[in-house]
Amino acid sequence: MDCVFCRIARGEIPARTVFQDEHLIAFDDIHPAAPVHVLIVPRKHISSLAGASEEDVLLLGRMLLAARDVARARGIEDKGYRVVANTGEHGGQEVFHCHLHVLGGMPLGRILPPR
Ligand code: AMP
Ligand code: ZN
């Protein structure tokens, strides 16, 4: 599969890996938007959250727990962080292999409208 995240998962493109196991790989984003910016990527090619299905329930749960573990390992758990899944055109998705961004290490501001 000629997909950048599949290629990283197969070790064909180098990445600064934070964590990996049989299901997932986590690595630093090449263009960090915050002091900590890690991507959580399943080894299985799923195009986006919109392309996920019932059979991916366990994998999606593993991705969230990996985000938690990465945040803990990078020392941003206490202050807090944000987990983002850009999805589709309006979501600003650029790489069509489902992934989570873990962002932290600075105040991120509020992206939802003020109440
Ligand atoms: P998005 O699809 O909008 O959620 O964003 C994809 C993210 O992947 C962007 O933040 C890119 O900086 C990042 N990215 C693209 N190519 C690489 C790469 N080879 N290594 C690490 N991060 C990458
Ligand atoms: Zn892929």
Side-chain angles (χ1 to χ4, degrees):
M1 180 86 70
D2 190 27
C3 157
V4 62
F5 288 174
C6 283
R7 296 192 67 194
I8 289 173
R10 292 198 299 259
E12 294 169 11
I13 295 176
R16 215 179 328 154
T17 303
V18 177
F19 164 84
Q20 59 181 319
D21 65 14
E22 60 186 308
H23 307 289
L24 304 168
I25 182 165
F27 51 88
D28 285 327
D29 195 292
I30 205 166
H31 293 125
V36 175
H37 188 172
V38 176
L39 302 177
I40 310 292
V41 176
R43 292 190 184 278
K44 177 183 176 185
H45 183 91
I46 303 168
S47 60
S48 75
L49 190 57
S53 65
E54 200 68 30
E55 73 178 37
D56 302 315
V57 163
L58 188 54
L59 185 57
L60 293 167
R62 290 186 200 281
M63 289 170 67
L64 282 171
L65 291 182
R68 175 204 63 184
D69 290 344
V70 162
R72 198 174 281 166
R74 284 290 170 96
I76 58 172
E77 190 172 58
D78 288 354
K79 288 279 192 180
Y81 53 94
R82 182 170 294 153
V83 178
V84 173
N86 296 328
T87 305
E89 184 187 346
H90 283 193
Q93 188 177 359
E94 291 176 350
V95 176
F96 281 78
H97 178 132
C98 188
H99 56 279
L100 299 176
H101 297 252
V102 181
L103 296 151
M106 68 180 194
L108 295 166
R110 192 173 157 79
I111 54 168
L112 299 174
R115 285 178 298 270

